[in-house]
Amino acid sequence: MEAMAIKHGELVTLEELNPSSPFFKEGASVRVTGRKWYLYLKEGFDFGLVQWGCVERGFGDEGLMVKSCTSKGVLCLLRRLQEYTVETAIAVVADGNATLKIDTQHLRDISFRIGSIYQLIGELLIQPDNEAILQARVGRIVDGIDLSLYHQSLQLLRQFQADHLNNSTS
Amino acid sequence: MDQRLQNTHVKLLAFDLLSLTQTPSLSTYDPIIFTRKNTTISRIEILGIVTSRELKPNKFLKFTIDDGTGCVTCVLWLNQLTSPYFSRRNPANVKLIADMAAHFASEIKIGVVARVRGRIAGYRGAVQVTVFDVVLERDPNVEAFHWLDCIRLARNCYNVVAGGAV
């Protein structure tokens, strides 16, 4: 039997992945690029292994919390860690002010480092609270990528595709 | 039919490659003729992320290249030492070809960015690429350069026919 065709990951920026975007659909295959921001950790994680520039811990009423300092110096507060198990291994990537949660459980042979830039292909899972999680099936580190060049080239690519489509239908 | 690109590895984006017109022919080597805007195309160069990999040892490696505009199925043959197609050729040369194919196959892993050259073929109505060679790309900006290259070539070369741009 012929294997089911693999869908390509539509090239999108993190800023475009908001509920009003045409890309924001359950099961949509997308490719995103963003800087690894932080990783949700399971309770009991050995913080001695974390190589972050700045990590703080607390045990408040909401459970085990982690504060991390991003490369841009923005302090971020993670949610309750008990919501996540090690199997779900949720990472978060950021581009500008936009962020996206990434389910990394299907990724192999890739290490997640804070501050590195990642490109990920997978399918969007829209949660009941209208928040998206990318179930990544392919990932790679793209440290050194020129994000400005990437975004400008993406606009030119979309324009070329649109022109090509218009010419072939007219 | 314009034949100028017949022996050129044409750089096409996946969405463009997958929308080539297919016409059956009487040739056994090229049973399907692929055309783009009335220009015959037989060789292709694509670049993208490897998103799947299916190995049949000593037969072939089938993999897909995702360039963000589409997914292209590629087939790298690994049967050179047993195929009758190579039986009349110099065994030393066949061994070299087989070794090279095995090397390419070992480099193709999910998540790498690969530049693939090959011959366009049809399989069950779908376009696929019979691989000639593979180069792994490590520069993270190479994909953007490839998109721009494809756009420039399409506008200034591939779309230009005797009567001007189409």
Side-chain angles (χ1 to χ4, degrees):
Chain A
M1 201 173 82
E2 187 68 8
M4 212 169 73
I6 295 172
K7 287 196 288 185
H8 75 276
E10 198 69 46
L11 299 158
V12 296
T13 63
L14 292 186
E15 285 188 350
E16 290 169 329
L17 282 181
N18 57 66
S20 60
S21 160
F23 301 113
F24 196 88
K25 284 186 292 195
E26 176 77 17
S29 297
V30 295
R31 187 204 297 198
V32 296
T33 305
R35 191 178 294 277
K36 171 71 188 321
W37 207 6
Y38 49 74
L39 182 70
Y40 289 107
L41 306 170
K42 73 166 184 174
E43 191 172 359
F45 185 86
D46 181 359
F47 285 90
L49 298 174
V50 180
Q51 301 294 316
W52 299 356
C54 170
V55 176
E56 296 174 20
R57 283 176 284 166
F59 296 88
D61 293 340
E62 294 183 24
L64 182 62
M65 310 289 284
V66 176
K67 294 173 181 175
S68 72
C69 198
T70 69
S71 58
K72 290 182 178 175
V74 180
L75 199 66
C76 56
L77 186 64
L78 303 196
R79 292 182 180 177
R80 291 169 62 112
L81 297 175
Q82 288 91 332
E83 293 174 20
Y84 304 92
T85 66
V86 71
E87 287 79 22
T88 55
I90 303 292
V92 176
V93 293
D95 184 8
N97 293 324
T99 61
L100 179 67
K101 286 183 182 175
I102 311 290
D103 183 343
T104 63
Q105 65 176 313
H106 298 302
L107 297 180
R108 299 277 184 274
D109 304 326
I110 184 168
S111 59
F112 278 88
R113 294 194 298 260
I114 302 292
S116 279
I117 304 176
Y118 290 83
Q119 203 159 65
L120 302 135
I121 300 175
E123 280 63 45
L124 285 180
L125 178 70
I126 311 294
Q127 296 182 301
D129 61 358
N130 223 19
E131 187 177 27
I133 292 186
L134 181 72
Q135 295 183 300
R137 53 183 157 85
V138 179
R140 67 186 190 111
I141 296 173
V142 289
D143 285 340
I145 192 170
D146 183 334
L147 285 172
S148 173
L149 168 75
Y150 182 82
H151 289 143
Q152 288 179 63
S153 304
L154 180 55
Q155 295 310 314
L156 292 170
L157 179 66
R158 286 176 176 169
Q159 186 60 52
F160 175 72
Q161 272 191 277
D163 292 347
H164 190 275
L165 193 65
N166 287 339
N167 285 341
S168 57
T169 53
S170 60
Chain B
M1 199 71 72
D2 195 326
Q3 305 277 339
R4 285 177 305 162
L5 299 175
Q6 182 71 27
N7 295 315
T8 302
H9 284 102
V10 177
K11 288 187 184 184
L12 285 187
L13 294 161
F15 84 94
D16 209 346
L17 170 61
L18 297 173
S19 59
L20 294 179
T21 304
Q22 301 186 36
T23 311
S25 83
L26 297 175
S27 161
T28 50
Y29 182 70
D30 276 324
I32 301 170
I33 294 172
F34 295 88
T35 54
R36 179 185 185 278
K37 297 180 188 289
N38 283 327
T39 301
T40 306
I41 293 174
S42 62
R43 296 172 182 217
I44 192 80
E45 179 176 318
I46 55 173
L47 183 147
I49 300 180
V50 175
T51 54
S52 75
R53 182 185 197 276
E54 179 192 345
L55 177 67
K56 298 280 183 194
N58 300 317
K59 290 184 179 172
F60 62 81
L61 173 70
K62 191 175 186 178
F63 59 98
T64 52
I65 292 281
D66 179 343
D67 72 357
T69 72
C71 264
V72 179
T73 302
C74 302
V75 177
L76 172 64
W77 288 102
L78 302 169
N79 63 347
Q80 292 84 0
L81 299 178
T82 54
S83 167
Y85 180 79
F86 291 91
S87 59
R88 291 183 186 175
R89 295 176 68 168
N90 181 333
N93 290 346
V94 174
K95 175 77 167 54
L96 276 177
I97 295 167
D99 288 349
M100 194 174 289
H103 172 67
F104 292 150
S106 71
E107 290 203 311
I108 292 291
K109 293 179 179 135
I110 290 176
V112 302
V113 170
R115 186 185 297 276
V116 174
R117 285 181 162 192
R119 187 167 59 83
I120 309 172
Y123 182 69
R124 295 183 177 173
V127 172
Q128 68 178 32
V129 174
T130 304
V131 177
F132 293 159
D133 55 71
V134 174
V135 175
L136 290 198
E137 298 285 359
R138 291 182 173 82
D139 182 341
N141 296 304
V142 77
E143 267 200 293
F145 289 136
H146 178 74
W147 300 340
L148 299 176
D149 230 6
C150 289
I151 294 169
R152 181 181 59 83
L153 284 165
R155 287 185 175 147
N156 300 337
C157 181
Y158 307 151
N159 289 0
V160 178
V161 292
V166 289

